[in-house]
Amino acid sequence: MDRISGASNGPELIAELRRRGLDVPCSRTPCIDKDGFEVLRGIYHLTDSDKARLCAWLARRAKGGRP
């Protein structure tokens, strides 16, 4: 999340999206961390409803509407 969004705090970005009404569910997937330990990383997903809301927001924004 941090690399893609340019944010330095991915969980806070997700929390803000949720405060703005998106669901953004998270699935936990096992992986090995930088220290060699198995951990569960979170993989965030947009629901179909989230995608529709984001597309509508982008369309309004492109037309100079309210952000």
Side-chain angles (χ1 to χ4, degrees), residues 3 5 15-16 24-26 39 45 56 58 60:
R3 180 177 43 83
S5 70
E16 181 61 27
V24 194
C26 178
V39 296
H45 308 274
L58 288 170
R60 282 193 312 272

Side-chain angles (χ1 to χ4, degrees), residues 42-65:
I43 299 176
Y44 297 99
H45 308 274
L46 294 175
T47 64
D48 288 340
S49 175
D50 291 341
K51 291 175 189 176
R53 292 185 72 183
L54 286 171
C55 286
W57 174 77
L58 288 170
R60 282 193 312 272
R61 187 172 181 232
K63 293 179 182 176

